[in-house]
Amino acid sequence: MLSFECDYNNGAHPAVLQALLRTNETKQPGYGQDEYTLHAKEKIAAACQCSNGDIYLLGGGTQTNQVVIDTLLAPYEGVLAADTGHVAVHEAGAIEFTGHKVLTLPQTLGKICADDVAVYMEKFLADPSHEHMVHPGLVYLSHPTEWGTLYTNDELTAIRSVCDTYGLKLYVDGARLIYGLQSPDTDVTLRDLANLTDAFYIGGTKAGTLCGEAVVFPKGNAPKGFFTSVKQHGALFAKGRLLGVQFDALFTDGLYETIGKHAMKMATELKTILTQKGYEFAWDSPTNQQFVVIDKQTKDRLAERVRFEEWEARPDGRFVVRFATTWATTQEELDELSKIL
Amino acid sequence: MLSFECDYNNGAHPAVLQALLRTNETKQPGYGQDEYTLHAKEKIAAACQCSNGDIYLLGGGTQTNQVVIDTLLAPYEGVLAADTGHVAVHEAGAIEFTGHKVLTLPQTLGKICADDVAVYMEKFLADPSHEHMVHPGLVYLSHPTEWGTLYTNDELTAIRSVCDTYGLKLYVDGARLIYGLQSPDTDVTLRDLANLTDAFYIGGTKAGTLCGEAVVFPKGNAPKGFFTSVKQHGALFAKGRLLGVQFDALFTDGLYETIGKHAMKMATELKTILTQKGYEFAWDSPTNQQFVVIDKQTKDRLAERVRFEEWEARPDGRFVVRFATTWATTQEELDELSKIL
Amino acid sequence: MLSFECDYNNGAHPAVLQALLRTNETKQPGYGQDEYTLHAKEKIAAACQCSNGDIYLLGGGTQTNQVVIDTLLAPYEGVLAADTGHVAVHEAGAIEFTGHKVLTLPQTLGKICADDVAVYMEKFLADPSHEHMVHPGLVYLSHPTEWGTLYTNDELTAIRSVCDTYGLKLYVDGARLIYGLQSPDTDVTLRDLANLTDAFYIGGTKAGTLCGEAVVFPKGNAPKGFFTSVKQHGALFAKGRLLGVQFDALFTDGLYETIGKHAMKMATELKTILTQKGYEFAWDSPTNQQFVVIDKQTKDRLAERVRFEEWEARPDGRFVVRFATTWATTQEELDELSKIL
Amino acid sequence: MLSFECDYNNGAHPAVLQALLRTNETKQPGYGQDEYTLHAKEKIAAACQCSNGDIYLLGGGTQTNQVVIDTLLAPYEGVLAADTGHVAVHEAGAIEFTGHKVLTLPQTLGKICADDVAVYMEKFLADPSHEHMVHPGLVYLSHPTEWGTLYTNDELTAIRSVCDTYGLKLYVDGARLIYGLQSPDTDVTLRDLANLTDAFYIGGTKAGTLCGEAVVFPKGNAPKGFFTSVKQHGALFAKGRLLGVQFDALFTDGLYETIGKHAMKMATELKTILTQKGYEFAWDSPTNQQFVVIDKQTKDRLAERVRFEEWEARPDGRFVVRFATTWATTQEELDELSKIL
């Protein structure tokens, strides 16, 4: 059975696993004080060109969103996010668990825009009861979004500008950042994210590690007491080396770039195949997730030989389904998929 | 300056205040064990015809919503509410503060409907990721709604039925219940609420007391440890007599009904005046809050002599404003208002 | 049955109740914007000689402790308190409910001391794992304590000094402050508390009001967003006038001082009676709560004619019991008690 | 530099790492639905002889304690633990973060006893204010304790019995369980824990994995909605295979037993060496952590060539220090240590 249903169905990239093997025998201090974590942090800071950045390695995406949003917000503040945003829908209320409301914004293909943030803030401030309401404190966006779409530098700059106007922080969920950075259709770099945000994270789990996300506070602006907060949230690993070794490997010899490029090459190929086979795209995605509209018969036929994700049932009886490439996707898998489609 | 801006701009009903005076010299145990609280509970149970009901007196509306919703829900559950519901907008995130997400439903003039609850639940259950999402555990509605509108018994019965189908609890915010019960256009009684809900509260603050809301768990179904939970939420009064005396007075000699009827008579009169003066109603409200659409010039003119609440700025430059009658509104005030309008 | 079991078994002081009567007919804005609250704040600031102080009126003691401690602490910080402190024992976990740990200190008759705070902090800082521990952020003390004892100005100054050394805030729970201020054995004034603390509250519930506590942030240092935080905690009254009128009355024409003096005169008289009757004091209390040790037979005998609180069962079979005077205690009640004792 | 400071300074056991390598190429569903997790669960259930047990794999110890305690307790309940317990001291308030108070019990060398639980409960129930206090809901203990000590089956049975008497749950933190089970001085087995507790966890991080702890609800009594709660706490891994593969390896071919036995053989050898060299044991530990008392000079001398943990500074100027063996400790390391000591 072929497996195109998501980008976390693999183990680790071989180079990452080899790094775990190679370093396994050394004795290391715990809780992120190991040498690999220190190296990883340096390399990530270099990649982001933020030499003063505070960098922390956490375990997973929801955990990272929970810890970072909770510590960046004042207790009476909430987070602005697309109503389709991961924090708004698919994190089982992990943000509310920490006492913060997710304030939703309209979106287009998963993207919010600066104007809608401004409109929200103007409406909030104009409401004579706004002191009885949750104060927006931070804008959350995912890049790529859950829909595979990307922000441009201009769009992010506009959002940053609105954030500055209204005293909001800006945080980018980069669970799939690797696929955004290597998309042929992007002008956004790690350096741009470091310049424009108060915090963002570089996803590892969907980018070749077994677990782990690297949070960057690019201006050395990690919230006070952050280490303790991480522990308080239950998010501190005793063997921080597990995260350190993996991110060290990812940011050595350009591995992160290389495997991102490969994944996007596979995505482009997948797009070509889908186009040639006459599939209707649900929308255009410039990243590793491709969404097509199929009828039930096709869905049933394909499901016998390939795993994909059912994204949405349409009122017309058809389905939006997702095929995802990853750093691990091979040409052989695409060839086989091509025969099935 | 006339004052029609809300229904909590008064002190207490004289009979309530006299009860405080009359009982002031007695010594009473604290924390709700005083004799007045006991009497109040009996009278409320009688009024609701739920002799086995558990009744608790709390301080204010947001506090009551917070405590009741938090204790009725499992920690991983959320509350379904109209996107305009008080818990969703104007409680500063008091629900999220206790870890629960407010899951929003569409509304019409502040009302949700059984079908939309069912649609939400079907969509939730059909979502293959629903275990990664907040589980709906309770339906919250306000009666009257924030828009002054009312549910019918049929509508509430339908919502109850959907709740039963999907294992949801039903909770009614009765901050303004007094005005709903005495509306000429309602068929909903206290007994109906006791029959149909898992919990509801009878608002005191907007109904003639200085503070206090009476929560009814009509089937003796107060959550386990509820007294301790109230304390844990910071919501327990040392001098519970303050609440007990007031509710005892409210439910003695039909005061609650009498003053509700008066308020609604004033509301009907207000409606007549507004109609006669040619005002455009924003929508029809069968309760004590009346909403009209006026232009800026009218708004400015009126604002010189009467306080009212600006509800919404319309895109056409006009405004929806609210005039509220209360148990304290006098014919003289209406006459004076009539001259101004 | 005589009633000496606590200091919240009365209604309101007549002057407070009269103020509620006198102001009842006025229309007032809600949520603490009423004129009485404004007057009360001015008068309290004057009494504390902190003209720049931020003053807020809340509903009850546990609520006040919860809101103030939660908003003064960073989310990863805890509060240092006597292991017998109200926040540590008898608030049903209201502090933990907001995510903060209560870190306990040893006490003597309910009092902590500067040295023990310093010892705690030195030990904390010396612990190589202290970043894995809750950071102490604030010292909580009650004055008078739960044991009726009082701090001296020197003791408070020493605690303040230790707080400054270690970057801790200082907060005083003044549920019974009135009895401390009027004790013949104190040198601590409202002005001293304003000088020495980051926040303290002046209890109303035990000092002649039906409810309400006045929080003072003496340097204008109310936490950012405090109004919204109050609402978020469910602690905001719609009819803030209820609190405003009562505190306005309490701080008009020296009522707060007068009734405190009376209560303490009654306490001194009670002490004299107990001494004359040969009762053994459990410890010396300079305030309105008097603690004596009695055997079971005496306890049973007294309990037939007077209510008192059983404080503790001693291993020797005897009991510590508490008799409390209040602003409402009369000479007649003491005379009658004297006959019973 | 030799490294005896803790039991999480290694990578993974080679067999665990090989399992990660061997399974790396397969495609697996996420979130714990992978085949390895399923196998691991079966094998763990078999090892515990609780075929109906619910087993979940989580990331780390503090996280596991946080999630399990929060979901086993009612929101108004607290957890009873030794005042030296990990949850009471070194988890940065992770329990309080979820709203629960840690209620402390006296301990002897890290162990609590059934009598002290009973005494606590009797005192709690006898307190007339106990409804104003946090209700104890669960007993937490660690086995081995933080002091390396062990409970006997009789002791655990007595605690279970007291729990039954008072309606308390029993939860065992097994971060170092492997060293307890293979201690020559224990009569407690996995089966005993399954029989006696409501939940316990089998630590992986300190037992040969890179991360991961296996929670066992031995009677199929996982709290309702547990999967969603795990996600809500930010504790769900996308690549659950990381945990599944490691625990599958640990419970295959007796690896868990084998490496535990080896670690304990090394511990016994370490004890012998320390005894022969004339070191004074701080107390007797039957597990992998050995505690000795040394003076400053010795400490400084040793610290030049071996890492150990400073546990406590004694008033007499000496220090309690900890040496820990692990599954990874070699005879060569012990020989070298012997030369240094």
Side-chain angles (χ1 to χ4, degrees), chain A residues 215-252:
Chain A
V215 185
V216 182
F217 297 101
K219 286 94 185 175
N221 58 318
K224 204 175 164 211
F226 190 72
F227 180 91
T228 303
S229 292
V230 169
K231 180 90 177 183
Q232 181 192 33
H233 285 71
L236 189 67
F237 279 73
K239 291 185 181 171
R241 67 193 291 158
L242 168 60
L243 304 173
V245 168
Q246 293 185 95
F247 270 96
D248 188 27
L250 212 54
F251 280 84
T252 297

Side-chain angles (χ1 to χ4, degrees), chain B residues 9-10 12 24 27 209 239, chain C residues 10 12 24 27-28 209 239:
Chain B
N9 52 353
N10 303 287
N24 194 51
K27 308 277 184 190
T209 67
K239 291 186 181 170
Chain C
N10 303 287
N24 193 52
K27 308 278 185 190
Q28 293 290 330
T209 66
K239 291 186 180 169

Side-chain angles (χ1 to χ4, degrees), chain C residues 192-215:
Chain C
D192 295 327
L193 291 171
N195 282 341
L196 291 169
T197 71
D198 293 279
F200 68 100
Y201 83 82
I202 301 172
T205 303
K206 290 167 179 161
T209 66
L210 284 162
C211 65
E213 324 291 322
V215 186

Side-chain angles (χ1 to χ4, degrees), chain B residues 208-236:
Chain B
T209 67
L210 284 162
C211 65
E213 325 291 321
V215 186
V216 181
F217 296 101
K219 288 94 184 175
N221 58 320
K224 204 175 165 212
F226 190 72
F227 179 91
T228 303
S229 292
V230 169
K231 179 90 177 184
Q232 181 192 32
H233 286 71
L236 189 67

Side-chain angles (χ1 to χ4, degrees), chain A residues 141-154:
Chain A
L141 54 85
S142 44
H143 179 85
T145 68
E146 294 73 17
W147 303 59
T149 51
L150 289 172
Y151 291 86
T152 65
N153 241 322
D154 281 352

Side-chain angles (χ1 to χ4, degrees), chain B residues 50-56 67-73 137-138 160 164 168-172 193-200 215-227:
Chain B
C50 60
S51 53
N52 296 321
D54 291 327
I55 292 156
Y56 287 85
V67 173
V68 174
I69 291 172
D70 188 29
T71 54
L72 282 178
L73 289 178
L138 179 147
R160 171 79 265 174
D164 289 341
L168 300 167
K169 289 168 179 161
L170 177 59
Y171 167 59
V172 172
L193 291 171
N195 282 340
L196 292 169
T197 72
D198 293 279
F200 67 100
V215 186
V216 181
F217 296 101
K219 288 94 184 175
N221 58 320
K224 204 175 165 212
F226 190 72
F227 179 91

Side-chain angles (χ1 to χ4, degrees), chain A residues 3 8-12 17-18 20-21 24 26-28 30-31 62-63 66 70 90-94 97-98 205 209-211 228 231-234 237-239 241-242 307 333, chain D residues 3 8-12 17-18 20-21 24 26-28 30-31 62-63 66 70 90-94 97-98 205 209-211 228 231-234 237-239 241-242 307 333:
Chain A
S3 181
Y8 46 88
N9 53 353
N10 304 287
L17 211 46
Q18 285 305 317
L20 285 172
L21 266 175
N24 194 52
T26 69
K27 307 279 185 189
Q28 293 290 331
Y31 304 115
T62 295
Q63 179 177 84
Q66 184 187 62
D70 188 29
H90 283 111
E91 299 192 348
F97 185 69
T98 64
T205 305
T209 66
L210 284 162
C211 65
T228 303
K231 180 90 177 183
Q232 181 192 33
H233 285 71
F237 279 73
K239 291 185 181 171
R241 67 193 291 158
L242 168 60
R307 285 201 291 265
E333 288 170 328
Chain D
S3 181
Y8 46 89
N9 53 353
N10 302 287
L17 211 45
Q18 285 305 317
L20 284 172
L21 265 174
N24 193 53
T26 68
K27 308 279 186 189
Q28 293 290 332
Y31 305 115
T62 295
Q63 179 176 85
Q66 183 187 64
D70 188 30
H90 283 112
E91 299 194 348
F97 185 69
T98 65
T205 304
T209 66
L210 285 162
C211 65
T228 303
K231 179 91 178 185
Q232 181 192 32
H233 286 70
F237 279 74
K239 291 185 179 170
R241 66 193 291 158
L242 168 61
R307 284 200 293 265
E333 289 170 328

Side-chain angles (χ1 to χ4, degrees), chain C:
Chain C
M1 176 77 81
L2 283 171
S3 181
F4 280 85
E5 76 275 23
C6 68
D7 38 21
Y8 46 88
N9 52 354
N10 303 287
H13 188 278
V16 169
L17 212 45
Q18 286 305 317
L20 284 172
L21 266 174
R22 196 173 54 245
T23 60
N24 193 52
E25 298 297 313
T26 69
K27 308 278 185 190
Q28 293 290 330
Y31 305 113
Q33 299 306 308
D34 62 281
E35 61 183 280
Y36 313 114
T37 296
L38 302 181
H39 293 160
K41 290 182 175 193
E42 283 168 15
K43 290 172 183 171
I44 290 169
C48 300
Q49 300 183 46
C50 60
S51 53
N52 296 322
D54 291 327
I55 292 156
Y56 287 86
L57 305 180
L58 295 175
T62 295
Q63 179 176 84
T64 301
N65 287 337
Q66 183 186 64
V67 173
V68 174
I69 292 173
D70 188 29
T71 55
L72 282 178
L73 290 178
Y76 59 92
E77 293 178 333
V79 50
L80 285 163
D83 57 24
T84 55
H86 206 256
V87 294
V89 184
H90 283 112
E91 299 193 349
I95 302 301
E96 290 81 5
F97 185 68
T98 65
H100 302 286
K101 190 178 187 73
V102 180
L103 305 161
T104 52
L105 293 169
Q107 45 76 36
T108 306
L109 300 179
K111 290 169 61 180
I112 58 171
C113 69
D115 279 357
D116 284 339
V117 175
V119 165
Y120 190 102
M121 290 308 299
E122 284 302 322
K123 199 174 158 197
F124 171 75
L125 293 170
D127 190 321
S129 297
H130 74 263
E131 293 215 334
H132 296 250
M133 298 164 68
V134 174
H135 296 207
L138 179 146
V139 170
Y140 163 97
L141 53 85
S142 43
H143 180 85
T145 67
E146 295 73 16
W147 303 59
T149 51
L150 288 173
Y151 291 86
T152 65
N153 241 323
D154 281 352
E155 289 168 338
L156 292 178
T157 302
I159 291 173
R160 170 80 265 174
S161 174
V162 169
C163 286
D164 288 342
T165 302
Y166 296 102
L168 300 167
K169 288 169 178 160
L170 178 58
Y171 166 60
V172 172
D173 176 336
R176 294 189 169 95
L177 187 54
I178 189 171
Y179 305 112
L181 293 172
Q182 301 306 331
S183 168
D185 295 341
T186 192
D187 63 348
V188 176
T189 64
L190 282 174
R191 183 185 190 174
D192 295 327
L193 291 171
N195 282 341
L196 291 169
T197 71
D198 293 279
F200 68 100
Y201 83 82
I202 301 172
T205 303
K206 290 167 179 161
T209 66
L210 284 162
C211 65
E213 324 291 322
V215 186
V216 181
F217 297 100
K219 288 94 184 174
N221 59 319
K224 204 175 164 211
F226 190 72
F227 179 91
T228 303
S229 292
V230 170
K231 179 90 179 185
Q232 181 192 32
H233 286 70
L236 189 67
F237 279 73
K239 291 186 180 169
R241 65 193 292 159
L242 169 60
L243 304 173
V245 168
Q246 293 185 94
F247 271 95
D248 188 27
L250 212 54
F251 281 83
T252 296
D253 296 337
L255 181 63
Y256 183 70
E257 272 186 51
T258 307
I259 67 179
K261 277 188 212 301
H262 171 74
M264 286 313 303
K265 190 179 155 204
M266 294 294 100
T268 304
E269 174 92 7
L270 171 61
K271 266 172 110 158
T272 305
I273 294 170
L274 289 165
T275 306
Q276 288 171 344
K277 297 279 179 175
Y279 281 80
E280 173 188 346
F281 287 91
W283 56 84
D284 184 56
S285 157
T287 60
N288 72 314
Q289 303 180 86
Q290 297 300 321
F291 301 82
V292 291
V293 189
I294 57 180
D295 58 27
K296 183 155 193 328
Q297 193 181 351
T298 308
K299 187 162 81 81
D300 291 346
R301 178 177 63 79
L302 294 176
E304 287 172 21
R305 300 180 59 194
V306 57
R307 283 200 292 266
F308 50 87
E309 184 170 299
E310 187 182 317
W311 185 262
E312 191 188 3
R314 289 223 168 152
D316 65 4
R318 295 192 302 163
F319 298 87
V320 178
V321 300
R322 179 182 74 175
F323 292 85
T325 65
T326 77
W327 53 270
T329 305
T330 63
Q331 185 63 49
E332 290 68 34
E333 288 170 328
L334 283 181
D335 292 345
E336 207 174 329
L337 179 64
S338 178
K339 292 180 203 149
I340 298 170
L341 285 172

